[in-house]
Amino acid sequence: MNQPTLQQRTFLFLLIALSFCFAWILFPLYSAVFWAIVLAILFAPLHDRLLGIMRRQRNLAALVTLMLFLTVILIPFSLISVSLVQQGTIIYEQIHTGQIDFGVYFQQIISALPDWASRLLSHFGVTDFATLKNILSSAATEGSQFIAARALDIGQTTAGFMFSAAIMLYLLFFLLRDGDVMTAKIKQAIPLDLEHKEQLLSTFVTAIRATIKGNIIVAAVQGALGGMMFWILGIQGALLWGVVMAVLALLPGIGAALLWMPVAIYFLVIGATWQGVALIVFGILIVGLVDNILRPILVGKKTQMPDYVVLFSTLGGIVIFGLNGFVIGPVIAALFITVWDLFVTENEERVSMPE
């Protein structure tokens, strides 16, 4: 086996060092760069169709795709965000003035429990209403103070968000326009067999499209249905709670139930039986059914990953990478499975080959 020359070793060192430095430079903007890549992959089929219609005018096709993205996704998202802030402000004021008192809600639940449950909770000191109320009120006050302190940074946060969004859109334009050229160069640069490169890139693209489409569609549908049910039941801030449910729904299987189930239990223990039963039935049969039917079709089958792998990779991704992790986690899991499949297949072929 030929040993690498000094020039080859030096070049490899420069390649690794400069790649690390470039990644370090981009790290402060990693969210903008990451979402530009994700959206470019997601909108690439639309861009390719427009490119064929517009007689290979790359700039025009990329610009029209970008305008469609702004019209269909970004503008509605901005309008929902404004309404969400308004409802969040109202809820905050109600908590601050005492119109919403979680201590009172908790006391109502404890009072409605049967004797055996009350004795069990009393054994652990959970029925000390005064202490619990003070703890909950203190937590609400501290939370309010935290929100108020963060509100002072809204201008700076908004400016940072707009800056990141501008970078994302700028980069998205060039990724759409030159994506095929960049993909060809990446394929050339990866030191693997052509078949392996094709399979890994195909898995990467499929995982991103399936994860985004599946998770976003499922989360949006579950959030909309849950918010609608809250509105029908007269729960204040239905839009806010619908958005919270949509975010929680990014967790497969258990997400939206983390919000609607406690509310249903609260209705039942305070005597609002029909509201509690209606919310449980709606949550299990309608909201839960969306997750059980749509997510495996849109995520699991296309990525060829079991549901539990999707769940754990999503949870782990969110813990490590924040909200971006609901995409990064499943993509890493899909690539992990693909690489091991390739490794096992190669070993089987090597063993089966005659000496």
Side-chain angles (χ1 to χ4, degrees):
M1 183 181 290
N2 294 329
Q3 295 295 324
T5 65
L6 177 61
Q7 180 176 341
Q8 289 173 329
R9 288 197 296 267
T10 303
F11 181 76
L12 183 61
F13 171 77
L14 283 174
L15 179 66
I16 295 172
L18 289 174
S19 297
F20 174 79
C21 291
F22 184 65
W24 185 29
I25 290 171
L26 292 181
F27 182 74
L29 305 172
Y30 101 92
S31 286
V33 174
F34 170 73
W35 281 105
I37 294 171
V38 168
L39 291 171
I41 292 172
L42 199 61
F43 283 87
L46 173 62
H47 172 262
D48 292 341
R49 290 180 186 177
L50 291 173
L51 194 61
I53 295 171
M54 296 174 180
R55 298 180 181 180
R56 314 300 298 175
Q57 296 185 41
R58 290 180 171 272
N59 287 325
L60 183 58
L63 185 60
V64 171
T65 306
L66 201 61
M67 292 300 105
L68 288 172
F69 164 72
L70 288 170
T71 304
V72 174
I73 295 179
L74 205 57
I75 292 176
F77 175 79
S78 301
L79 294 175
I80 292 174
S81 298
V82 171
S83 300
L84 184 62
V85 169
Q86 291 174 346
Q87 285 204 0
T89 304
I90 293 171
I91 297 290
Y92 163 74
E93 289 295 335
Q94 290 176 339
I95 293 173
H96 188 68
T97 58
Q99 296 178 43
I100 296 178
D101 191 334
F102 293 105
V104 172
Y105 298 153
F106 188 81
Q107 184 172 343
Q108 289 176 331
I109 293 173
I110 296 295
S111 300
L113 291 174
D115 292 339
W116 64 268
S118 297
R119 287 195 299 270
L120 180 63
L121 294 176
S122 179
H123 177 71
F124 293 101
V126 181
T127 54
D128 185 356
F129 298 139
T131 303
L132 284 170
K133 188 172 180 180
N134 288 336
I135 292 172
L136 291 170
S137 298
S138 176
T141 302
E142 290 177 5
S144 301
Q145 290 174 350
F146 174 77
I147 293 171
R150 293 294 295 170
L152 298 175
D153 299 329
I154 285 178
Q156 182 179 353
T157 304
T158 303
F161 173 78
M162 296 301 293
F163 177 70
S164 296
I167 291 175
M168 182 197 72
L169 293 173
Y170 179 79
L171 180 58
L172 177 58
F173 171 82
F174 290 102
L175 289 176
L176 288 169
R177 191 190 69 176
D178 305 323
D180 52 349
V181 177
M182 294 180 185
T183 302
K185 288 185 177 180
I186 291 172
K187 284 183 181 179
Q188 255 184 332
I190 298 175
L192 292 173
D193 292 341
L194 180 60
E195 182 183 350
H196 290 178
K197 287 190 282 191
E198 291 285 352
Q199 191 163 348
L200 284 172
L201 287 174
S202 174
T203 299
F204 178 72
V205 171
T206 301
I208 283 184
R209 286 178 180 165
T211 302
I212 291 290
K213 289 179 182 178
N215 284 338
I216 294 297
I217 290 173
V218 170
V221 171
Q222 286 190 312
L225 290 171
M228 181 187 69
M229 192 60 186
F230 274 30
W231 176 74
I232 292 172
L233 295 174
I235 299 173
Q236 292 182 337
L239 176 62
L240 173 63
W241 301 126
V243 172
V244 172
M245 263 189 280
V247 174
L248 291 173
L250 295 175
L251 301 177
I254 61 174
L258 293 175
L259 182 59
W260 64 257
M261 184 59 76
V263 176
I265 293 172
Y266 171 74
F267 277 139
L268 291 175
V269 299
I270 66 170
T273 307
W274 78 265
Q275 291 96 327
V277 171
L279 190 52
I280 289 174
V281 171
F282 187 83
I284 294 174
L285 296 183
I286 306 299
V287 177
L289 204 60
V290 169
D291 189 88
N292 294 332
I293 292 178
L294 284 183
R295 196 184 299 273
I297 293 174
L298 296 173
V299 182
K301 287 185 179 178
K302 290 190 177 180
T303 58
Q304 296 181 345
M305 289 195 298
D307 290 345
Y308 63 88
V309 174
V310 176
L311 172 61
F312 289 126
S313 61
T314 302
L315 284 171
I318 290 174
V319 169
I320 296 173
F321 300 104
L323 196 57
N324 296 335
F326 87 89
V327 178
I328 299 175
V331 168
I332 291 175
L335 291 173
F336 169 80
I337 291 173
T338 301
V339 169
W340 273 100
D341 283 343
L342 291 172
F343 177 74
V344 171
T345 302
E346 273 205 348
N347 275 352
E348 288 177 348
E349 290 175 355
R350 193 178 295 115
V351 169
S352 64
M353 287 178 63
E355 294 291 338

